[in-house]
Amino acid sequence: MAPLGRAALLLSLGLVAYALVAGSLAAWQRRRRLALSARNALLASFATTAVAAAVLWSALARRDLSFVYVSQHTSRSLPLGYALSAFWGGQEGSLLLWLLILTGYAALAAWLNRGSRDLVAWVVPVFGGVATFFAFMLCFVSSPFDTAPAPADGAGMVPSLQNPYMLAHPPLLYLGYVGLTVPFAFAMGALLSGRTDERWIVATRRWTLAAWTFLGVGQLLGAHWAYVEIGWGGYYAWDPVENAALMPWLAATAFLHSVMIQEKRGMLKVWNMVLVALAFCLSIFGTFLTRSGVVNSIHSFSQSPLGGWFLGFIALCTAFSVALIYLRLPLLRARTKLESLVSREATFLYNNLLLVALCLTILWGVVYPLLTQAVRGETRSVSKPYYDFFLHSFGLPLLLLMGIGPLVAWRRASLRALGRTFLLPLAAAGATGAILIVLGFGSSTPGLLAYTFGAFVAASIVLEFVRGTRATGSLLRLVGRNRRRYGGYLVHAAIVLLAIGIAGSSAYQTVRERGLKPGGSLEAAGYTFTYRGLSRRQEANAQAVRATVDVSRGGSHVVTLHPGKNSYPVEQQVSNEVSIYHDPRNLGDVFTIADQIDPKSGVVFLKVLVKPLVNLIWAAGFVFVFGALVAMWPDAVEQRRLAERYAAGAVAA
């Protein structure tokens, strides 16, 4: 089976290299049949990569330990679901997953846009160039099909990865990471072909939205995995690899907003090209962080030879993008200019600047330790206060702008009209802030501002829906007429829920910890936690020890929780297993961790966190997905409008 996998990868490399070379020649010399041949090679590369992926999945399912990759990441006792998820649990497998998704995206995007021959002719070699790099790495640098005599058992899987969220979190992130290649390929294809109008944006709008959605949901699932599995009581730690996923999402968010200005007013063409290139290069940078082993992270792999290759590829992509944008500057001139600093275009521009500023400050926090290590030979890490400062400095104004932007008119807005428009949202924000201060929630200024700004945004969203429904007579008709706009409002509502959940669970949480003997108790946020004793049980591939903790409030029993630890004999590791009670009163959690357990004496060092409103973070994920689906849903009216735009563009050309 291993020779079949290697042969399939070599064939994939040949096909994507042909798509790069033949596609470039065909686009340059306008040879239509050669361009079609290059496109077909790109389509075929997905099939050959799928064969390679099927070989690896088959080896994982059979626990074929003669595959070095299988023996390093599974064991005979590992449940089948986790054995299959080992596909993306290691370095070589995750690279193969990247190539599989990339060739799938490339094949489908090229096929669906085959009518735009002049644009797709250049898009194919761009896809081919990116795919060639990953196929080369799999064939000659980091192959998942190396073999060796089979050991008696495999090394197993890291305990923290033996969680159901790991079945979905990495693939969703990869669908987002790799999906950003589509707008990048079409943007570069537009520059290479000289077709710098909005057609490349129209062709990739839903692709970008889909990649952005996958990346956002993947991060939320990863945050929930960290929350329930790692056993530290949090969901985001500003880990370098967590940041690596956040940065391209922020850049893509900026692009999705600014691209509306280009479509509506013909502005920000250069800026949009820069944002697309930035999002793509940041997605490759995130892969570099996890594959190179240059950072210490629970997400990253050990030191490997891939780091230099990825740095070289990032440098090549950056230089290629910058040079191409510079050469095409005359074609990227804006048709109109910003007429007023008080307009919807201006608020979108402010939004973009804040998003990019937040993205770049996070990037500096990630890169700074690497630079100090390279220059001075010592690692100086950037701590949580650095990130929190810039999150408050840029994130809170961004939250406020989400409520301001939709209510401001295009081109120019009068102060009198703004005063009337903002009256209700300002009243809602003021009332919310005053009530919270009276209730004693003024101890955290960032938390209070997040609640107040959230109320402002929520009121502006409700106002927009009410006005639109009155005008159309039906909420469904309103959304159906402009799904992209109102889907965006739903996404804004999800961000409001996320901001309130983060503020409540971080600024107003209660933390208590104490060593307890059986019968001992501690108090936290009105709850009493009484430790009763230990229990043991054997699980499929682990030995479990659990503490029994009775939780009461006001003298009444609420729930019994069972925090503890799992011991994995194959992996020879121990993991924390938390126990959580979802409190419906404050939409929060009572979170318990057995940090230390002494089986002989029965003493448990118990840590308790009461986190109000934390469940709004996870609820935000459902609203986010719903809003994104509304925005992406096909619209017949929009399709007719786009067809007219295509026709007008063709005549102008």
Side-chain angles (χ1 to χ4, degrees):
M1 292 292 285
L4 175 61
R6 285 192 290 268
L9 282 180
L10 286 170
L11 188 54
S12 294
L13 174 60
L15 288 168
V16 294
Y18 179 81
L20 167 63
V21 176
S24 300
L25 183 63
W28 181 40
Q29 297 184 350
R30 298 183 180 275
R31 295 168 60 179
R32 181 167 296 180
R33 295 189 66 177
L34 186 60
L36 180 62
S37 173
R39 192 194 74 192
N40 289 340
L42 195 63
L43 269 61
S45 68
F46 173 64
T48 56
T49 307
V51 170
V55 169
L56 184 58
W57 257 314
S58 173
L60 290 167
R62 294 182 289 109
R63 316 297 201 284
D64 187 346
L65 301 180
S66 64
F67 283 69
V68 174
Y69 184 84
V70 176
S71 67
Q72 288 177 343
H73 299 286
T74 68
S75 65
R76 299 190 188 280
S77 60
L78 189 68
L80 177 61
Y82 295 139
L84 293 176
S85 73
F87 188 99
W88 46 81
Q91 185 168 262
E92 298 85 354
S94 59
L95 285 176
L96 179 54
L97 179 65
W98 186 292
L99 182 64
L100 177 67
I101 296 174
L102 175 60
T103 53
Y105 272 138
L108 189 58
W111 175 258
L112 291 177
N113 291 279
R114 59 192 181 277
S116 304
R117 292 175 180 170
D118 54 344
L119 176 59
V120 173
W122 281 110
V123 169
V124 167
V126 177
F127 274 130
V130 179
T132 297
F133 170 75
F134 284 94
F136 173 83
M137 298 292 286
L138 283 162
C139 288
F140 301 111
V141 182
S142 186
S143 173
F145 299 115
D146 291 338
T147 57
D153 200 358
M157 177 178 284
V158 176
S160 61
L161 299 182
Q162 298 183 40
N163 182 286
Y165 285 102
M166 286 298 103
L167 303 178
H169 162 58
L172 284 172
L173 279 183
Y174 274 58
L175 286 167
Y177 271 141
V178 186
L180 293 175
T181 310
V182 177
F184 173 77
F186 275 81
M188 296 303 105
L191 291 174
L192 288 165
S193 65
R195 300 282 187 175
T196 57
D197 55 20
E198 284 70 47
R199 280 185 285 178
W200 73 271
I201 294 174
V202 172
T204 61
R205 177 188 297 153
R206 287 188 174 86
W207 291 96
T208 309
L209 268 172
W212 175 78
T213 303
F214 284 133
L215 199 53
V217 175
Q219 289 178 87
L220 275 176
L221 283 178
H224 201 263
W225 164 75
Y227 185 66
V228 302
E229 178 62 31
I230 302 303
W232 61 290
Y235 41 78
Y236 199 89
W238 296 110
D239 178 274
V241 180
E242 290 175 336
N243 294 339
L246 178 60
M247 290 186 291
W249 187 84
L250 290 171
T253 304
F255 171 70
L256 287 171
H257 284 81
S258 67
V259 79
M260 288 188 277
I261 304 178
Q262 181 173 342
E263 290 182 279
K264 185 82 174 181
R265 304 274 288 129
M267 299 166 58
L268 301 182
K269 289 185 176 182
V270 176
W271 181 243
N272 285 328
M273 290 291 182
V274 170
L275 287 177
V276 166
L278 178 64
F280 172 73
C281 290
L282 286 173
S283 71
I284 301 296
F285 179 71
T287 309
F288 158 72
L289 287 180
T290 54
R291 302 298 171 274
S292 63
V294 298
V295 297
N296 292 320
S297 166
I298 193 171
H299 305 81
S300 62
F301 300 114
S302 59
Q303 194 75 25
S304 77
L306 299 186
W309 290 98
F310 271 98
L311 276 181
F313 186 60
I314 293 169
L316 178 63
C317 291
T318 303
F320 173 72
S321 304
V322 171
L324 200 51
I325 293 171
Y326 177 77
L327 290 172
R328 295 301 192 187
L329 280 177
L331 299 177
L332 295 173
R333 293 196 181 105
R335 295 196 302 266
T336 57
K337 294 184 179 180
L338 186 66
E339 297 181 21
S340 171
L341 295 178
V342 184
S343 61
R344 189 171 297 186
E345 300 98 301
T347 60
F348 275 44
L349 181 59
Y350 306 148
N351 165 283
N352 262 235
L353 294 175
L354 287 169
L355 283 167
V356 173
L358 179 57
C359 177
L360 294 180
T361 54
I362 294 173
L363 177 62
W364 176 249
V366 173
V367 170
Y368 179 72
L370 306 181
L371 293 178
T372 57
Q373 176 65 37
V375 175
R376 298 183 179 180
E378 57 183 23
T379 300
R380 294 186 178 182
S381 62
V382 175
S383 60
K384 183 175 181 290
Y386 167 87
Y387 294 109
D388 286 346
F389 172 79
F390 286 107
L391 178 64
H392 297 155
S393 301
F394 298 138
L396 289 172
L398 273 169
L399 183 62
L400 183 62
L401 279 174
M402 286 199 312
I404 295 175
L407 301 180
V408 180
W410 289 100
R411 300 171 69 92
R412 187 182 298 273
S414 68
L415 294 179
R416 179 176 298 178
L418 287 177
R420 290 195 302 268
T421 302
F422 290 140
L423 183 60
L424 287 177
L426 284 172
T432 299
I435 292 171
L436 289 172
I437 291 174
V438 170
L439 293 177
F441 290 94
S443 58
S444 170
T445 301
L448 181 63
L449 289 175
Y451 288 154
T452 305
F453 291 173
F456 179 86
V457 178
S460 68
I461 292 171
V462 171
L463 184 61
E464 281 290 281
F465 273 95
V466 169
R467 285 177 174 176
T469 302
R470 285 177 179 173
T472 60
S474 166
L475 179 61
L476 291 177
R477 188 179 300 120
L478 170 71
V479 176
R481 285 184 177 181
N482 198 333
R483 293 180 181 138
R484 188 180 175 196
R485 178 180 180 182
Y486 289 97
Y489 288 159
L490 290 173
V491 171
H492 284 183
I495 301 300
V496 170
L497 290 176
L498 180 70
I500 294 174
I502 291 173
S505 60
S506 58
Y508 302 105
Q509 72 172 342
T510 302
V511 182
R512 298 286 186 273
E513 48 190 340
R514 183 182 302 167
L516 299 175
K517 296 179 180 180
S521 63
L522 64 83
E523 307 281 337
Y527 292 94
T528 300
F529 300 82
T530 305
Y531 167 51
R532 299 301 183 190
L534 293 175
S535 63
R536 296 172 177 80
R537 66 174 182 267
Q538 181 66 43
E539 297 188 346
N541 62 328
Q543 297 169 352
V545 179
R546 297 290 183 270
T548 300
V549 180
D550 287 333
V551 184
S552 60
R553 182 176 55 228
S556 300
H557 179 76
V558 176
V559 69
T560 298
L561 298 177
H562 300 279
K565 295 182 180 294
N566 279 1
S567 177
Y568 295 82
V570 174
E571 293 81 2
Q572 297 183 354
Q573 295 185 40
V574 177
S575 68
N576 269 342
E577 300 298 322
V578 304
S579 187
I580 304 171
Y581 167 63
H582 305 297
D583 190 347
R585 295 186 318 155
N586 60 7
L587 300 175
D589 283 345
V590 176
F591 194 102
T592 58
I593 308 167
D595 261 346
Q596 299 176 27
I597 298 176
D598 185 347
K600 293 182 179 179
S601 64
V603 173
V604 169
F605 194 86
L606 186 68
K607 185 174 182 179
V608 171
L609 301 92
V610 180
K611 305 175 77 69
L613 300 177
V614 69
N615 288 303
L616 289 182
I617 296 175
W618 323 127
F622 292 100
V623 180
F624 176 81
V625 172
F626 180 64
L629 288 175
V630 170
M632 284 188 285
W633 200 262
D635 186 342
V637 175
E638 182 190 40
Q639 293 302 320
R640 287 196 296 271
R641 187 166 62 246
L642 295 180
E644 294 171 359
R645 182 178 297 170
Y646 268 121
V651 171

